[in-house]
Amino acid sequence: MVAAGGDLRVELGRRYRFAASHRLHTERLSEEENARLYGKCNNPHGHGHNYVVEISVSGAIDPANGMIANLTDLDGFVEHEVLEAFDHRSLNEEVPAFRESVPTTENLCIEIFRRLRSFPQAKLERVRIEETSNNSFEFAGDNPIGEPVETGVHLEGNRP
Amino acid sequence: MVLLTRKIEFSASHRYDNPALSPEENRRVFGKCNNPHGHGHNYTLEVTVAGEPDPVTGMVLDLSELKKILEREVMQRMDHRHLNYEVPELAGQIPTCENVARVIWGLLEPKIKQGKLHRVRLYESPDLFADCYRNGSNEVTK
């Protein structure tokens, strides 16, 4: 069943790209277990992807400009908060969050959501990342994300 | 519940300009989208309808019916048109992706009799799109 009624909600979606290297490896497992679990993604020299990051923001459409958020502001914010820190970088070595956690694309979604949720002009709804054209991952914090799924991940008070 | 999505493409021109602002402010706010001669896009529209498949036909709604609705409500109104001057539903609004998506939602919602309009996604380019939902309708209740 679908909840009926309610106001119209409009979201603005924007796609960005960056290229980065990573290695899936955790100190919590032995070398053999890492190799078995992560397979070729555990290659000690790392490997890379062309990531596509799709973000959605919601808010009222300003009648003066017809926009939820000015694209120049959104692009500048994403450039500063994410692309400058991630593009042509090693995620393991150069993004502090991945000293503690494995840079899977699941964790990358959570980290990018954390970095972007303070965007001042609109509400960040979700982050969707394509690691390759065949694999994509999505994280929405506490926002609805299609069917209700308990993620167990809450970001309250998590921002440094 | 099953979601069914139909995609169509149309091409249209537009211009961003707010008559309440000075020419300088318009240029500052809208940048190259303020070009007085307008510009255009190949829009891609994805229309998603939610419902239970009919036990007899197995369909949420008849795709050929949806195709006719999209042809009549969207293609005939917007394809190869200037959105500022030729689409009355957009009169007085800046034809941004957000506003065009909202207008398309308003055109389609009352026409879909089987199932329920779930989402309108309008791509202005492969990297920029707007989604429109009825609040609460992307939360599937038990």
Side-chain angles (χ1 to χ4, degrees):
Chain A
M1 293 295 292
V2 179
D7 300 328
L8 220 50
R9 190 176 85 244
V10 186
E11 296 178 357
L12 176 69
R14 185 77 159 143
R15 286 160 70 91
Y16 303 91
R17 291 171 177 75
F18 69 86
S21 62
H22 71 169
R23 179 196 183 201
L24 303 187
H25 182 88
T26 174
E27 297 299 330
R28 293 174 190 165
L29 298 175
S30 70
E31 293 295 327
E32 296 70 33
E33 284 170 320
N34 269 296
R36 189 165 43 76
L37 176 64
Y38 294 122
K40 59 187 178 181
C41 299
N42 187 237
N43 172 9
H45 306 292
H47 64 284
H49 297 286
N50 295 325
Y51 291 93
V52 178
V53 180
E54 189 179 287
I55 72 162
S56 291
V57 299
S58 68
I61 300 176
D62 182 346
N65 61 22
M67 299 172 183
I68 291 173
N70 193 308
L71 272 188
T72 314
D73 295 337
L74 184 62
D75 290 353
F77 191 79
V78 174
E79 177 70 32
H80 183 258
E81 297 296 324
V82 174
L83 303 180
E84 279 175 17
F86 289 47
D87 188 34
H88 286 73
R89 305 275 190 182
S90 159
L91 298 179
N92 301 64
E93 305 296 331
E94 296 181 87
V95 177
F98 299 122
R99 295 202 186 110
E100 304 299 323
S101 67
V102 184
T104 57
T105 309
E106 291 91 325
N107 281 334
L108 193 55
C109 281
I110 294 170
E111 173 60 10
I112 290 179
F113 190 94
R114 190 188 66 79
R115 285 171 176 251
L116 295 180
R117 72 194 166 119
S118 60
F119 178 60
Q121 278 86 13
K123 182 190 176 205
L124 179 65
E125 289 287 341
R126 81 190 72 80
V127 169
R128 180 177 163 273
I129 302 179
E130 294 172 13
E131 180 182 68
T132 68
S133 52
N134 294 328
N135 298 332
S136 71
F137 302 83
E138 226 168 313
F139 181 67
D142 294 328
N143 302 323
I145 187 167
E147 295 186 55
V149 175
E150 180 50 58
T151 63
V153 178
H154 297 280
L155 289 162
E156 288 309 310
N158 225 3
R159 198 175 164 76
Chain B
M1 191 182 71
V2 178
L3 303 178
L4 172 154
T5 299
R6 171 92 189 159
K7 180 160 88 173
I8 60 167
E9 292 177 359
F10 63 93
S11 304
S13 56
H14 68 174
R15 181 198 180 201
Y16 294 176
D17 185 73
N18 182 344
L21 302 177
S22 70
E24 295 70 33
E25 284 172 313
N26 270 301
R27 272 194 295 276
R28 189 176 49 76
V29 173
F30 297 121
K32 58 187 177 183
C33 297
N34 185 239
N35 173 9
H37 306 292
H39 63 284
H41 297 283
N42 295 325
Y43 289 91
T44 300
L45 174 69
E46 289 174 6
V47 174
T48 302
V49 177
E52 295 297 339
D54 180 283
V56 176
T57 65
M59 298 174 180
V60 171
L61 88 166
D62 190 335
L63 260 184
S64 70
E65 176 62 21
L66 181 58
K67 210 171 147 182
K68 279 184 215 150
I69 295 170
L70 295 177
E71 173 63 30
R72 203 169 51 231
E73 299 300 327
V74 180
M75 294 301 277
Q76 287 184 17
R77 257 191 191 81
M78 299 186 183
D79 187 38
H80 287 74
R81 303 281 186 180
H82 196 301
L83 299 178
N84 298 63
Y85 307 126
E86 296 183 90
V87 180
E89 290 79 7
L90 279 163
Q93 301 181 54
I94 316 282
T96 55
C97 204
E98 294 96 310
N99 274 334
V100 179
R102 186 165 65 172
V103 162
I104 290 173
W105 178 285
L107 292 168
L108 296 180
E109 192 179 35
K111 305 289 180 194
I112 291 171
K113 309 290 187 196
Q114 285 171 279
K116 212 166 154 13
L117 186 58
H118 175 74
R119 186 182 82 174
V120 163
R121 171 172 285 193
L122 181 67
Y123 286 91
E124 187 180 280
S125 75
D127 291 335
L128 178 66
F129 57 89
D131 284 326
C132 205
Y133 300 93
R134 184 65 69 193
N135 242 343
S137 72
N138 69 336
E139 292 166 79
V140 181
T141 55
K142 295 246 167 87

